[in-house]
Amino acid sequence: RMILTGFSDVEAIIQAINKGQIYRYITKPWDKDELKITIDKALESFHLRRENQNLINRLQEANANLEKKVEERTVEVNQQKKEIETLLHNILPEEIAQELKLNGKAEPKHYDRVSVLFTDFKGFTKITEITPPQELLRELNRCFMAFDEIVEKYKLEKIKTIGDAYMC
């Protein structure tokens, strides 16, 4: 907004600018070239404010999108962390799993005497060629659960299973 007027009271000018959001208050007599420059600057200022507001809106939208992605990723990371912990507890003794969680590493332990059992099913590769996957998994699971019961009964330490191999 601009005011072109013959009225040049300073108080009125200040009030018009402050209360009326006036860009410029021009009194008579006005110069045609000065008026054109003022209008050009006013338009430029208007366009810059509009562009600035558009940029602010886009920035706020991008920020909201980033916050949403961070929340989604945090949920994913927490889920992965739970899965890793479950896996860790499945393949390692509780004491070692806790030590890894707390320290990021586990100190090796020395035993004077130890026995290692490593099983492997004879002809497993040929069996896999003729047995449907679901049936094969059921059978492996049945065998490994039996090994788990023996390990628990005799207080052994299960190390891991790899394919058809069981190590304790």
Side-chain angles (χ1 to χ4, degrees), residues 80-133:
Q80 288 174 350
K81 184 180 175 188
K82 286 179 187 177
E83 290 172 7
I84 289 169
E85 286 179 16
T86 300
L87 201 63
L88 199 60
H89 288 283
N90 284 343
I91 63 172
L92 295 173
E94 181 64 28
E95 179 184 333
I96 303 296
Q98 287 300 330
E99 191 176 351
L100 280 172
K101 252 175 73 176
L102 292 174
N103 306 324
K105 64 179 183 174
E107 290 296 321
K109 304 223 183 328
H110 175 76
Y111 297 96
D112 290 328
R113 293 174 25 178
V114 67
S115 295
V116 176
L117 171 67
F118 188 82
T119 66
D120 187 55
F121 292 99
K122 183 177 180 182
F124 185 74
T125 303
K126 286 186 180 185
I127 293 170
T128 62
E129 293 171 358
I130 60 172
T131 307

Side-chain angles (χ1 to χ4, degrees), residues 58-71:
R58 286 176 40 204
L59 185 60
Q60 288 171 336
E61 187 178 312
N63 189 43
N65 287 337
L66 281 175
E67 285 180 13
K68 183 180 177 187
K69 286 181 182 182
V70 166
E71 287 175 20

Side-chain angles (χ1 to χ4, degrees), residues 144-157:
F144 286 165
M145 286 175 67
F147 286 142
D148 288 342
E149 288 175 16
I150 294 167
V151 164
E152 190 174 322
K153 179 179 177 181
Y154 292 102
K155 297 183 178 20
L156 303 173
E157 188 174 303

Side-chain angles (χ1 to χ4, degrees), residues 23 40-52:
Y23 175 76
D40 288 344
K41 285 184 179 182
L43 284 171
E44 182 181 352
S45 176
F46 172 78
H47 290 296
L48 287 173
R49 279 195 306 273
R50 179 183 279 175
E51 184 180 342
N52 189 32

Side-chain angles (χ1 to χ4, degrees), residues 131-145:
T131 307
Q134 293 83 0
E135 186 179 328
L136 185 65
L137 287 175
R138 272 195 302 274
E139 187 60 26
L140 272 178
N141 190 45
R142 188 182 67 74
C143 292
F144 286 165
M145 286 175 67

